[in-house]
Amino acid sequence: MHILLIEDETDLRVLATEGLRRRGFVVDAAGSLAAARDCLGVVRLDAAIVDRRLSDGEGLSLLPELARHGVPSLVATAYGDIEDRIAGLNAGADDYIVKPYDLDEVAARLRALLRRPGQRMAPVLVQGRLRLDPAAQQAWLSDAPLDLGRRELALLQLLMEAAPNVVVRDTVQDRLYTLDEAVSPNALEAIVSRLRRRLAPAGCGIENRRGIGWRLIQGEAPC
């Protein structure tokens, strides 16, 4: 999942960004409303974490823009009175959490948001003997866990969700990398190659559509 974290406290922004990345999220971070608006429409976001007290305005003012882009929002703020929570939810927040928060709870709330009807997070994906649980961040071949890195797992989810269609290269890059990460010309090919090797025992392959993207294919035996 590609998350936008909007938090103007530098230490917390760095800590939360690193913690959520360790929990399997792709995270872009913004320290102001202006920086957050620059991100909207540039990458395909799955959700946003929004602080309220920002240097250039009230975080709740961004919620309608997030909604127009189809991005659910988790407001994370020190404003914890019942009136504040009601104001946040009435302004369009999909969920509301009070600082200081636990990152495991934040991760669980984000995944719960994306399981709601109309949101993007898929239930457990199954292709023959291949199974992937996005919430647990784990894939299995039959009942044996697959040892996949974060980006390999994200790529596998994209391919399984789209199968048998092609996932275009730009979509893969947006989902696997943040805006400030440098992506070398061969970086995506290296991830595809590693995942292809992991899937070979399942009879699955990854077909390269040169200049377009990739798709998941099956051999004679189902995946």
Side-chain angles (χ1 to χ4, degrees), residues 158-159 162-169 207 209 212-216:
L158 281 174
L159 294 172
N165 298 318
V166 173
V167 182
V168 299
R169 185 185 184 91
E207 182 181 48
R209 295 292 184 88
I212 301 174
W214 300 272
R215 73 183 184 102
L216 190 67

Side-chain angles (χ1 to χ4, degrees), residues 95-169:
D95 198 358
Y96 198 104
I97 191 170
V98 178
K99 297 176 182 176
Y101 49 69
D102 182 271
L103 283 175
D104 285 331
E105 181 181 0
V106 171
R109 285 174 179 266
L110 288 170
R111 292 177 180 126
L113 276 183
L114 296 174
R115 287 196 299 269
R116 292 179 183 176
Q119 302 300 347
R120 292 182 180 140
M121 190 172 187
V124 175
L125 301 169
V126 179
Q127 290 276 340
R129 295 187 295 129
L130 187 62
R131 182 164 52 97
L132 186 151
D133 184 343
Q137 290 288 285
Q138 181 61 59
W140 297 265
L141 173 55
S142 297
D143 291 325
L146 285 171
D147 182 17
L148 300 177
R150 173 173 62 86
R151 291 194 173 108
E152 293 162 21
L153 193 66
L155 174 59
L156 178 59
Q157 180 176 341
L158 281 174
L159 294 172
M160 291 181 71
E161 288 174 341
N165 298 318
V166 173
V167 182
V168 299
R169 185 185 184 91

Side-chain angles (χ1 to χ4, degrees), residues 13 37 48 54 58 62 73 92 119 181-182 219:
R13 185 169 67 247
R37 289 187 172 106
L54 299 167
E58 161 67 78
L62 188 66
S73 55
Q119 302 300 347
E181 288 180 301

